[in-house]
Each structure stands twice: as C-alpha cells, then as structure tokens.
Amino acid sequence: LLFCVLQYKREKRIDTLFINIGFFAIPLFAALLTSQVVLTTAKSKQDSIGTYGTVTERLGSISYAGDGRWPIWVNSIDYIKANPFKGCGYGNWKIASIPYSKTWVNDFTVPIHSHNDFLELSAEIGIQGGIAYLALFVCLLLYTSKVWFSNCEPENKLVAAFSLMAIGGYFVDACLNFPLERPIMQIFFALFAAIVTNAFIGAGAGKSNKFRSLIIPPKIYLPVVGCLLIPTVYFTFSGYRSMVAQMIILPDLKSQTHTLSFREVNDLFPTFPNLTTKGQPIDAIKGSYYYYEKKYDSAFILLDKGITANPYSMYPEFMKANVFFDLNKPDSACYYAGKAFYARPRTKAYYQNYLNFCSSHNDSSAIRKAFEEFTRHRNEPDAWHLYLAALFSSKNADKPSILSIADSAVKLFPHDTVLLQNRAEIQRSLQQFNTVNNANNPVITGTASTAELLSSAITAFNKGEYNSAAILFTELSRKSPSEYILLENTGICYFNLKNYPEAITWFDKVLRLGKASDGKTEFFKAKCMLILGKKEEGCRLLQLARLKQYTESEAFILQYCK
C-alpha cells in the first residue's frame, strides 16, 4: 500500500492508484477468505485436531506473556549477556535453554527455539553472528535503494522493490518464529535475495564493469558448490533417518511398553546426530533399553555418554537412579533421582521417582523438602497425592500428621476424588492402628491401605516387576472399581508380561466405564490386537486413540495402517 502511494505521488494519477490498490487488495482478500473456508472445511473432516486450525485461530494462538514468547526472549537475552561472543554452538539452544527455563516449563518440554532467529543466532554463535545475520537484511535493503535511485529500467526497479517486500515478510517471521529451521522458507529467502542482488548488479552494469567481476563462471561455480553440498546431503539424510527412528522409538519409550529390544533400537538410530529433536540424548535412550534388559553395566556406559551429550536433560541421571535402585544401592538411587529432580523441579516423572526412592529409604525429611519445591512451581492435586503416598509408605513418618496433610490437600482441592479417597484410607488405617494399640497388641491387623498398595504398585512397575505390579493394581481396582486408571494400569502390566488376552480384558473394563478420555486405553488395546494379528480391529482402535489426541497413535497408524 505504501508503494502504491509513493507511485501516486510520482505519477499523480488517481485512477492508477485505485487500480494498483485493487491489484493488491482483491487477491489478498480472496486468499484470506479462501484459506479460511478451505481450512475450516478440512478441520471438520480430519480425524484428529492438528496443532493449528484456520488463519484466525493461528493468529489467536500466538502468545507473548505467560509461557509464550516473552519468557523465551528474556532467557535468550540473559544467555547472550552471560556469553556475548562465545555462544553455545550452532543448533545447541535446545541444550543451553534448559537451565533458564526450568522454573516455568513443565515436564520434558524444552524451548527448542528462541522464536526469534536474531536472538537465537546471537545465543548460539555470539553477538557477531546475530549482527551478521541482521546485516544481511540491511545489505539487501541498501541494494534495493541503490536500484531504486539508479537509472535502470522501471521494470528492474519494480522487481527489486517487490522482492524486498517479500524479504520483509521473511524478516517479520524471523522476529517471531524460526524460519532458519524451515527449508521451504530458506528456498523462499534465497530466491528473493538472489533477485535483489541480480537487480543490483544489473543496475550497476551500465555504469561500470566492476560488478561483472563479481560473477563466477558457471563452469567453476557449479562443480565447486556441488562438492560442498555432498557433506550436507550426508548430514541431512542422517538427520532424516534419526527422525524416522524417533517416530518409532519415542512412543514405545513414553508408553513404557518397551516392546523393542536394544538391538532393534541401536540399528534404527544412525551414529549422527546424538540428540533427538527435543534435545534428549540418544545414547541415554539406548541405555534405558539396556536397563530394561537388566544389562546394567552396558546401561551405565551409555547413560554417561548421554550426560556428556546434554548435561541439562537429566534423563540419564533419572535412569541411573533406577539402575542403582535395582542394584540395591538406595543411597546412590536417591542421589541421582534428587539431582534430576532439583535440576528440573517442574518435571513430574522426576518428582515421583525421587519420592519413591526417598520413601523406600525412609527419608521423610527429603520427601517433604521435594514436595515443597515441586508445589512452589506446580501446586496441583497429583503433587499432594504422590506426597501422601510417599509419606505413608515411609516407616519413620509421623502417621497422625499425615491425616492433617491430607485435610489440607482436600481443602485445596475439594473435588478431587483421589485425594478424598486417600484421606479416607489414611483415616481408616489410623483407626485400625489405634484400636490395636488399645488392645495392647503389637501387630497391626487388617488389609494394607490404598496409599501403601499404590506406592508398592508404582515401585514394582518402575522396577519392571510387572507380575507383582499386576497383583497390586488388581487389589487396588477391587477396592476402587470406578477408578479407571487402576484398571488401565493393570492392563498395561499384563501387556508388558505379553499376556495380551488378559490385558484386553482389563482394557475392556476401562472402555465399559466410559470415563477415560485421553485415548491411552484404545492405544494399548490396539497394540494387543495388532500383535495378535487382528489388524482391522487394531487400526480401528488406533483411529479412536488419534481422535482423542493420543499422540503416540499417529506413528503406529503410519507404520501399520497405511
């Protein structure tokens, strides 16, 4: 629009002004309207809800406050101030960002990008890198201005001007997102940068031959560039192979099924790169499969390599804690579990792991300290539920005081059924304890409390003792038949024991209750069906899991149902 106004000031023709504005406004309006209609229709027909919907929904999803762009930008600036010239290395922001974001990012989420390419480059390769990148845009602006004020043909000026506008669109994207990571955006940028540069050379060619000396003959240029591209082809293809492997392995790891063997995992991953797209060390992932195969020495070697690859992930420390616990070294288990938790105190898996080990070590003081740290960042029902279970399982905990803690939890979250049930079980257990003491009987009779059973079941499951965990979860589900998670966990135990018909029985119980809404039950039942050769039923259940936005289902649909 500004360009149209400038043209009007030069030509003083109102009819040309409206025609030019029409050439701009009508296609833009048609494009916005068409895309809105098409995307709305596509969204209504797709099986699952994607990350983005229509144009207006995407614009509405861009946030700056809270956990949006603003804290990421602040973290990036803080890192640049601390490392102005050295940087963390190209592509390593997903590692360096973890210590800065640990107090506001939940679980295993990592700010992979700064959502500003200028800040990200400055953080990765120093301020000089960010300035050089910004200078590239300044250079193209100067080229265009030189063309505009030269005596070249008007068509050449128009080509340069509109190419600069396109680069301006890329510049805005670079200020809000990360187009450097998107090949299609790089092709777009290279094309229009080349057009501007070509226009600049053409504009100067009439006055002097100095620009022609900048042109490298194609006979030299093409072979040289071709040779330089060979290494990038190798690295790009290795990255692609790694991402394909991640699509297969990460869902298996996240769902805790571990149906793959170490050999299969090792064969799927190439030697490069050594991190996943989320910054998780690939050696640590391989080490976790050694852990589940009870090959602890080999697991330690790979987990230590994972720490070297990304010292801030804490996943290797998390897994080392499990290894030490299996080796009956509770002190070491608590040390590494605590190290992982306090380095990333908003990660629920690290919190739960640490509480379990502290409980088995009867360290109620460490349990309380971890609870205070976690709730300082995430004061939610699960935090209290895990805290109560850990305290009640600890032998040296003050049992009567646990009831008052449960009262506080219920007061904060009066509608949480699990906390209400925990409080009732704690009160019942204390009443049994008092009755026995009054009878001068040193032995406490009666069945174990739900909190104790749940803690034991989780511990057994984490240790890979699925048979024991299945028995405990079965007892828990008998006590609380309406709690679908207990039924689901029982089914997962039998799944891991490869007793697929029994697992399906428990998953059917969950589905009959109709309470589960995350698609996890459908996903695991689908895996059972696929293993039993019932592909049609398995694929149908995977589609249902995808409809409920269970993310792991997508990879299995691509693998088995296409």
Side-chain angles (χ1 to χ4, degrees), residues 411-433:
K411 188 176 180 180
L412 274 174
F413 308 101
H415 303 296
D416 189 85
T417 56
V418 176
L419 286 176
L420 289 169
Q421 188 174 357
N422 281 351
R423 186 199 176 281
E425 289 294 334
I426 291 168
Q427 188 174 34
R428 188 181 304 117
S429 180
L430 286 173
Q431 287 172 350
Q432 291 175 349
F433 179 80

PDB file of all heavy atoms in Angstrom, residues 411-433:
ATOM      1  N   LYS A 411      -8.824 -29.652  51.369  1.00  0.00           N
ATOM      2  CA  LYS A 411      -9.306 -28.277  51.466  1.00  0.00           C
ATOM      3  C   LYS A 411      -8.937 -27.478  50.212  1.00  0.00           C
ATOM      4  O   LYS A 411      -9.714 -26.663  49.723  1.00  0.00           O
ATOM      5  CB  LYS A 411      -8.712 -27.607  52.708  1.00  0.00           C
ATOM      6  CG  LYS A 411      -9.299 -26.232  53.005  1.00  0.00           C
ATOM      7  CD  LYS A 411      -8.731 -25.679  54.303  1.00  0.00           C
ATOM      8  CE  LYS A 411      -9.312 -24.293  54.602  1.00  0.00           C
ATOM      9  NZ  LYS A 411      -8.762 -23.734  55.866  1.00  0.00           N
ATOM     10  N   LEU A 412      -7.724 -27.729  49.692  1.00  0.00           N
ATOM     11  CA  LEU A 412      -7.280 -27.036  48.484  1.00  0.00           C
ATOM     12  C   LEU A 412      -8.003 -27.539  47.241  1.00  0.00           C
ATOM     13  O   LEU A 412      -8.338 -26.765  46.344  1.00  0.00           O
ATOM     14  CB  LEU A 412      -5.774 -27.229  48.298  1.00  0.00           C
ATOM     15  CG  LEU A 412      -4.827 -26.257  49.004  1.00  0.00           C
ATOM     16  CD1 LEU A 412      -3.390 -26.712  48.824  1.00  0.00           C
ATOM     17  CD2 LEU A 412      -4.995 -24.838  48.486  1.00  0.00           C
ATOM     18  N   PHE A 413      -8.226 -28.867  47.187  1.00  0.00           N
ATOM     19  CA  PHE A 413      -8.840 -29.484  46.008  1.00  0.00           C
ATOM     20  C   PHE A 413     -10.027 -30.344  46.457  1.00  0.00           C
ATOM     21  O   PHE A 413      -9.940 -31.584  46.477  1.00  0.00           O
ATOM     22  CB  PHE A 413      -7.812 -30.332  45.251  1.00  0.00           C
ATOM     23  CG  PHE A 413      -6.547 -29.593  44.920  1.00  0.00           C
ATOM     24  CD1 PHE A 413      -5.392 -29.769  45.693  1.00  0.00           C
ATOM     25  CD2 PHE A 413      -6.506 -28.715  43.850  1.00  0.00           C
ATOM     26  CE1 PHE A 413      -4.225 -29.090  45.386  1.00  0.00           C
ATOM     27  CE2 PHE A 413      -5.331 -28.027  43.540  1.00  0.00           C
ATOM     28  CZ  PHE A 413      -4.203 -28.209  44.319  1.00  0.00           C
ATOM     29  N   PRO A 414     -11.127 -29.711  46.853  1.00  0.00           N
ATOM     30  CA  PRO A 414     -12.251 -30.444  47.450  1.00  0.00           C
ATOM     31  C   PRO A 414     -12.961 -31.404  46.507  1.00  0.00           C
ATOM     32  O   PRO A 414     -13.692 -32.285  46.957  1.00  0.00           O
ATOM     33  CB  PRO A 414     -13.197 -29.319  47.896  1.00  0.00           C
ATOM     34  CG  PRO A 414     -12.825 -28.148  47.042  1.00  0.00           C
ATOM     35  CD  PRO A 414     -11.374 -28.273  46.772  1.00  0.00           C
ATOM     36  N   HIS A 415     -12.766 -31.252  45.210  1.00  0.00           N
ATOM     37  CA  HIS A 415     -13.485 -32.101  44.243  1.00  0.00           C
ATOM     38  C   HIS A 415     -12.610 -33.192  43.643  1.00  0.00           C
ATOM     39  O   HIS A 415     -13.059 -33.905  42.737  1.00  0.00           O
ATOM     40  CB  HIS A 415     -14.069 -31.228  43.124  1.00  0.00           C
ATOM     41  CG  HIS A 415     -14.983 -30.141  43.615  1.00  0.00           C
ATOM     42  ND1 HIS A 415     -16.165 -30.407  44.260  1.00  0.00           N
ATOM     43  CD2 HIS A 415     -14.841 -28.785  43.578  1.00  0.00           C
ATOM     44  CE1 HIS A 415     -16.755 -29.264  44.584  1.00  0.00           C
ATOM     45  NE2 HIS A 415     -15.969 -28.272  44.190  1.00  0.00           N
ATOM     46  N   ASP A 416     -11.389 -33.337  44.134  1.00  0.00           N
ATOM     47  CA  ASP A 416     -10.501 -34.362  43.599  1.00  0.00           C
ATOM     48  C   ASP A 416     -10.794 -35.697  44.296  1.00  0.00           C
ATOM     49  O   ASP A 416     -10.548 -35.864  45.491  1.00  0.00           O
ATOM     50  CB  ASP A 416      -9.039 -33.965  43.822  1.00  0.00           C
ATOM     51  CG  ASP A 416      -8.088 -34.888  43.082  1.00  0.00           C
ATOM     52  OD1 ASP A 416      -7.837 -34.644  41.890  1.00  0.00           O
ATOM     53  OD2 ASP A 416      -7.624 -35.855  43.699  1.00  0.00           O
ATOM     54  N   THR A 417     -11.310 -36.672  43.547  1.00  0.00           N
ATOM     55  CA  THR A 417     -11.759 -37.943  44.139  1.00  0.00           C
ATOM     56  C   THR A 417     -10.605 -38.770  44.697  1.00  0.00           C
ATOM     57  O   THR A 417     -10.755 -39.457  45.706  1.00  0.00           O
ATOM     58  CB  THR A 417     -12.515 -38.772  43.086  1.00  0.00           C
ATOM     59  OG1 THR A 417     -11.672 -38.954  41.935  1.00  0.00           O
ATOM     60  CG2 THR A 417     -13.788 -38.064  42.652  1.00  0.00           C
ATOM     61  N   VAL A 418      -9.432 -38.704  44.044  1.00  0.00           N
ATOM     62  CA  VAL A 418      -8.290 -39.487  44.520  1.00  0.00           C
ATOM     63  C   VAL A 418      -7.833 -38.995  45.881  1.00  0.00           C
ATOM     64  O   VAL A 418      -7.558 -39.783  46.790  1.00  0.00           O
ATOM     65  CB  VAL A 418      -7.131 -39.434  43.496  1.00  0.00           C
ATOM     66  CG1 VAL A 418      -5.909 -40.167  44.037  1.00  0.00           C
ATOM     67  CG2 VAL A 418      -7.559 -40.044  42.172  1.00  0.00           C
ATOM     68  N   LEU A 419      -7.767 -37.679  46.058  1.00  0.00           N
ATOM     69  CA  LEU A 419      -7.356 -37.125  47.351  1.00  0.00           C
ATOM     70  C   LEU A 419      -8.378 -37.440  48.436  1.00  0.00           C
ATOM     71  O   LEU A 419      -8.017 -37.742  49.582  1.00  0.00           O
ATOM     72  CB  LEU A 419      -7.155 -35.611  47.235  1.00  0.00           C
ATOM     73  CG  LEU A 419      -5.899 -35.145  46.497  1.00  0.00           C
ATOM     74  CD1 LEU A 419      -5.886 -33.627  46.367  1.00  0.00           C
ATOM     75  CD2 LEU A 419      -4.647 -35.619  47.213  1.00  0.00           C
ATOM     76  N   LEU A 420      -9.665 -37.376  48.096  1.00  0.00           N
ATOM     77  CA  LEU A 420     -10.714 -37.730  49.064  1.00  0.00           C
ATOM     78  C   LEU A 420     -10.582 -39.189  49.496  1.00  0.00           C
ATOM     79  O   LEU A 420     -10.721 -39.520  50.678  1.00  0.00           O
ATOM     80  CB  LEU A 420     -12.097 -37.476  48.450  1.00  0.00           C
ATOM     81  CG  LEU A 420     -12.487 -36.004  48.265  1.00  0.00           C
ATOM     82  CD1 LEU A 420     -13.747 -35.904  47.405  1.00  0.00           C
ATOM     83  CD2 LEU A 420     -12.733 -35.342  49.622  1.00  0.00           C
ATOM     84  N   GLN A 421     -10.301 -40.039  48.531  1.00  0.00           N
ATOM     85  CA  GLN A 421     -10.142 -41.458  48.841  1.00  0.00           C
ATOM     86  C   GLN A 421      -8.872 -41.701  49.663  1.00  0.00           C
ATOM     87  O   GLN A 421      -8.874 -42.495  50.605  1.00  0.00           O
ATOM     88  CB  GLN A 421     -10.084 -42.265  47.543  1.00  0.00           C
ATOM     89  CG  GLN A 421     -10.117 -43.766  47.771  1.00  0.00           C
ATOM     90  CD  GLN A 421     -10.194 -44.536  46.473  1.00  0.00           C
ATOM     91  OE1 GLN A 421     -10.272 -43.938  45.414  1.00  0.00           O
ATOM     92  NE2 GLN A 421     -10.162 -45.836  46.554  1.00  0.00           N
ATOM     93  N   ASN A 422      -7.801 -40.981  49.332  1.00  0.00           N
ATOM     94  CA  ASN A 422      -6.569 -41.100  50.120  1.00  0.00           C
ATOM     95  C   ASN A 422      -6.796 -40.728  51.575  1.00  0.00           C
ATOM     96  O   ASN A 422      -6.328 -41.411  52.490  1.00  0.00           O
ATOM     97  CB  ASN A 422      -5.481 -40.191  49.531  1.00  0.00           C
ATOM     98  CG  ASN A 422      -4.834 -40.801  48.304  1.00  0.00           C
ATOM     99  OD1 ASN A 422      -5.072 -41.954  47.975  1.00  0.00           O
ATOM    100  ND2 ASN A 422      -4.026 -40.024  47.613  1.00  0.00           N
ATOM    101  N   ARG A 423      -7.508 -39.638  51.783  1.00  0.00           N
ATOM    102  CA  ARG A 423      -7.764 -39.188  53.148  1.00  0.00           C
ATOM    103  C   ARG A 423      -8.567 -40.234  53.919  1.00  0.00           C
ATOM    104  O   ARG A 423      -8.282 -40.536  55.089  1.00  0.00           O
ATOM    105  CB  ARG A 423      -8.521 -37.855  53.133  1.00  0.00           C
ATOM    106  CG  ARG A 423      -8.681 -37.253  54.524  1.00  0.00           C
ATOM    107  CD  ARG A 423      -9.791 -36.215  54.589  1.00  0.00           C
ATOM    108  NE  ARG A 423      -9.947 -35.763  55.960  1.00  0.00           N
ATOM    109  CZ  ARG A 423     -10.592 -36.441  56.912  1.00  0.00           C
ATOM    110  NH1 ARG A 423     -11.119 -37.639  56.630  1.00  0.00           N
ATOM    111  NH2 ARG A 423     -10.698 -35.958  58.145  1.00  0.00           N
ATOM    112  N   ALA A 424      -9.581 -40.809  53.265  1.00  0.00           N
ATOM    113  CA  ALA A 424     -10.410 -41.821  53.919  1.00  0.00           C
ATOM    114  C   ALA A 424      -9.585 -43.052  54.287  1.00  0.00           C
ATOM    115  O   ALA A 424      -9.740 -43.614  55.381  1.00  0.00           O
ATOM    116  CB  ALA A 424     -11.568 -42.210  53.003  1.00  0.00           C
ATOM    117  N   GLU A 425      -8.696 -43.475  53.391  1.00  0.00           N
ATOM    118  CA  GLU A 425      -7.857 -44.645  53.656  1.00  0.00           C
ATOM    119  C   GLU A 425      -6.865 -44.375  54.787  1.00  0.00           C
ATOM    120  O   GLU A 425      -6.615 -45.233  55.635  1.00  0.00           O
ATOM    121  CB  GLU A 425      -7.105 -45.055  52.384  1.00  0.00           C
ATOM    122  CG  GLU A 425      -7.980 -45.677  51.315  1.00  0.00           C
ATOM    123  CD  GLU A 425      -8.546 -47.019  51.746  1.00  0.00           C
ATOM    124  OE1 GLU A 425      -7.923 -47.689  52.591  1.00  0.00           O
ATOM    125  OE2 GLU A 425      -9.625 -47.387  51.265  1.00  0.00           O
ATOM    126  N   ILE A 426      -6.316 -43.169  54.825  1.00  0.00           N
ATOM    127  CA  ILE A 426      -5.380 -42.814  55.895  1.00  0.00           C
ATOM    128  C   ILE A 426      -6.098 -42.803  57.231  1.00  0.00           C
ATOM    129  O   ILE A 426      -5.597 -43.323  58.238  1.00  0.00           O
ATOM    130  CB  ILE A 426      -4.731 -41.438  55.595  1.00  0.00           C
ATOM    131  CG1 ILE A 426      -3.800 -41.552  54.389  1.00  0.00           C
ATOM    132  CG2 ILE A 426      -3.952 -40.923  56.811  1.00  0.00           C
ATOM    133  CD1 ILE A 426      -3.353 -40.214  53.838  1.00  0.00           C
ATOM    134  N   GLN A 427      -7.287 -42.245  57.245  1.00  0.00           N
ATOM    135  CA  GLN A 427      -8.063 -42.196  58.488  1.00  0.00           C
ATOM    136  C   GLN A 427      -8.434 -43.607  58.957  1.00  0.00           C
ATOM    137  O   GLN A 427      -8.330 -43.923  60.149  1.00  0.00           O
ATOM    138  CB  GLN A 427      -9.327 -41.368  58.275  1.00  0.00           C
ATOM    139  CG  GLN A 427     -10.114 -41.097  59.557  1.00  0.00           C
ATOM    140  CD  GLN A 427     -11.279 -40.165  59.310  1.00  0.00           C
ATOM    141  OE1 GLN A 427     -11.885 -40.197  58.238  1.00  0.00           O
ATOM    142  NE2 GLN A 427     -11.595 -39.322  60.277  1.00  0.00           N
ATOM    143  N   ARG A 428      -8.822 -44.465  58.019  1.00  0.00           N
ATOM    144  CA  ARG A 428      -9.190 -45.837  58.377  1.00  0.00           C
ATOM    145  C   ARG A 428      -7.980 -46.592  58.933  1.00  0.00           C
ATOM    146  O   ARG A 428      -8.088 -47.327  59.913  1.00  0.00           O
ATOM    147  CB  ARG A 428      -9.756 -46.554  57.145  1.00  0.00           C
ATOM    148  CG  ARG A 428     -10.358 -47.923  57.445  1.00  0.00           C
ATOM    149  CD  ARG A 428     -10.881 -48.590  56.182  1.00  0.00           C
ATOM    150  NE  ARG A 428     -11.843 -47.749  55.500  1.00  0.00           N
ATOM    151  CZ  ARG A 428     -11.669 -47.256  54.280  1.00  0.00           C
ATOM    152  NH1 ARG A 428     -10.568 -47.527  53.615  1.00  0.00           N
ATOM    153  NH2 ARG A 428     -12.593 -46.496  53.725  1.00  0.00           N
ATOM    154  N   SER A 429      -6.824 -46.389  58.298  1.00  0.00           N
ATOM    155  CA  SER A 429      -5.618 -47.070  58.754  1.00  0.00           C
ATOM    156  C   SER A 429      -5.220 -46.610  60.149  1.00  0.00           C
ATOM    157  O   SER A 429      -4.808 -47.418  60.987  1.00  0.00           O
ATOM    158  CB  SER A 429      -4.473 -46.815  57.767  1.00  0.00           C
ATOM    159  OG  SER A 429      -3.304 -47.449  58.182  1.00  0.00           O
ATOM    160  N   LEU A 430      -5.350 -45.323  60.425  1.00  0.00           N
ATOM    161  CA  LEU A 430      -5.017 -44.803  61.746  1.00  0.00           C
ATOM    162  C   LEU A 430      -5.985 -45.328  62.805  1.00  0.00           C
ATOM    163  O   LEU A 430      -5.597 -45.605  63.941  1.00  0.00           O
ATOM    164  CB  LEU A 430      -5.037 -43.269  61.728  1.00  0.00           C
ATOM    165  CG  LEU A 430      -3.860 -42.600  61.012  1.00  0.00           C
ATOM    166  CD1 LEU A 430      -4.078 -41.093  60.923  1.00  0.00           C
ATOM    167  CD2 LEU A 430      -2.555 -42.886  61.745  1.00  0.00           C
ATOM    168  N   GLN A 431      -7.255 -45.479  62.454  1.00  0.00           N
ATOM    169  CA  GLN A 431      -8.234 -46.027  63.389  1.00  0.00           C
ATOM    170  C   GLN A 431      -7.889 -47.473  63.741  1.00  0.00           C
ATOM    171  O   GLN A 431      -7.984 -47.884  64.907  1.00  0.00           O
ATOM    172  CB  GLN A 431      -9.639 -45.950  62.781  1.00  0.00           C
ATOM    173  CG  GLN A 431     -10.202 -44.533  62.753  1.00  0.00           C
ATOM    174  CD  GLN A 431     -11.494 -44.450  61.978  1.00  0.00           C
ATOM    175  OE1 GLN A 431     -11.898 -45.390  61.294  1.00  0.00           O
ATOM    176  NE2 GLN A 431     -12.160 -43.300  62.060  1.00  0.00           N
ATOM    177  N   GLN A 432      -7.460 -48.239  62.717  1.00  0.00           N
ATOM    178  CA  GLN A 432      -7.029 -49.615  62.971  1.00  0.00           C
ATOM    179  C   GLN A 432      -5.811 -49.643  63.882  1.00  0.00           C
ATOM    180  O   GLN A 432      -5.722 -50.445  64.810  1.00  0.00           O
ATOM    181  CB  GLN A 432      -6.694 -50.316  61.640  1.00  0.00           C
ATOM    182  CG  GLN A 432      -7.898 -50.582  60.765  1.00  0.00           C
ATOM    183  CD  GLN A 432      -7.500 -51.156  59.414  1.00  0.00           C
ATOM    184  OE1 GLN A 432      -6.323 -51.163  59.067  1.00  0.00           O
ATOM    185  NE2 GLN A 432      -8.479 -51.631  58.655  1.00  0.00           N
ATOM    186  N   PHE A 433      -4.897 -48.700  63.635  1.00  0.00           N
ATOM    187  CA  PHE A 433      -3.685 -48.620  64.450  1.00  0.00           C
ATOM    188  C   PHE A 433      -4.029 -48.317  65.914  1.00  0.00           C
ATOM    189  O   PHE A 433      -3.512 -48.942  66.833  1.00  0.00           O
ATOM    190  CB  PHE A 433      -2.779 -47.534  63.879  1.00  0.00           C
ATOM    191  CG  PHE A 433      -1.502 -47.323  64.653  1.00  0.00           C
ATOM    192  CD1 PHE A 433      -0.424 -48.163  64.479  1.00  0.00           C
ATOM    193  CD2 PHE A 433      -1.394 -46.283  65.563  1.00  0.00           C
ATOM    194  CE1 PHE A 433       0.756 -47.976  65.181  1.00  0.00           C
ATOM    195  CE2 PHE A 433      -0.227 -46.089  66.283  1.00  0.00           C
ATOM    196  CZ  PHE A 433       0.850 -46.931  66.088  1.00  0.00           C
TER     197      PHE A 433
END
